[in-house]
Amino acid sequence: MISIIIPVLNEAKHITEVLYHLIDNASLNTIQEIIVVDGGSTDNTVSIIQALGLNIKVLHSEKGRAKQMNLGAKASKGDILYFLHADSFPPNRYDQLILEEIKKGNNAGCFRLQFDSNHWWLRFTSWLTQFSWRASRGGDQSQFITKALFNDIGGYDENYIIYEDNILINELYKRKEFVVINHKLKTSARLYQKHGVWTLQYHYLVIYIKKWFGASAKDLHDYYLNNICKR
């Protein structure tokens, strides 16, 4: 059974759509639960979820996706964890696609990515996500992983306020425990629209290179705060 875990912070505009999408595109007898972990929203994200009457479990956590996702995993009852961003929409029958990979012995992986944008660069980078290259990975593609493997790794590294998805993915690649499911997940390009495609892509590249050369979690977060989510 799959436990879906969604970290949120001020996602009132998107949360209803993604929750209904998850329900409408799965065989619910395979879904153990949907857990939304709020990191201190100041909008009405939580009240919107509660008003839906969908039996969604809402947890409250300190801000930080790694902390939020670890809390959700700890509270989960399923033997397969599926981590999803609040503005990402997995393909139809995503649950069956995940379970098929688990049956093959693939204990972790993600879907291909498609942005909700026609910008040629975003189409190109989306196309690259079908390949197994580590550089093509990111949290927007979602992450499925067996709970046993997740616990063996130690979960998400809470030292990382950003890049936490990639730290876990790097560990999975080291263990040769990663597969890309050849079906597209659609995600929002809202951050690219806000900052500009080339500006944001440049900053993401700098963060990737900084980590490659040994930058600390604090260094990466400071760069992010100064250049993307400005203080």
Side-chain angles (χ1 to χ4, degrees), residues 3 5 33 35 37 57 59 69-78 81 147:
S3 290
I5 300 167
E33 62 204 338
I35 301 173
V37 188
K57 184 184 296 184
L59 303 179
M69 291 187 288
N70 281 344
L71 180 66
K74 186 176 181 180
S76 67
K77 297 177 181 178
L81 307 177
K147 184 181 281 187

Side-chain angles (χ1 to χ4, degrees), residues 157 159-160 162-163 167 170 205-223:
D157 187 337
N159 291 312
Y160 285 85
I162 66 161
Y163 211 74
I167 298 301
N170 287 345
L205 179 61
V206 170
I207 289 171
Y208 182 84
I209 293 172
K210 280 179 172 288
K211 184 64 183 71
W212 183 269
F213 283 101
S216 68
K218 183 179 184 304
D219 291 337
L220 298 182
H221 189 220
D222 285 346
Y223 184 88

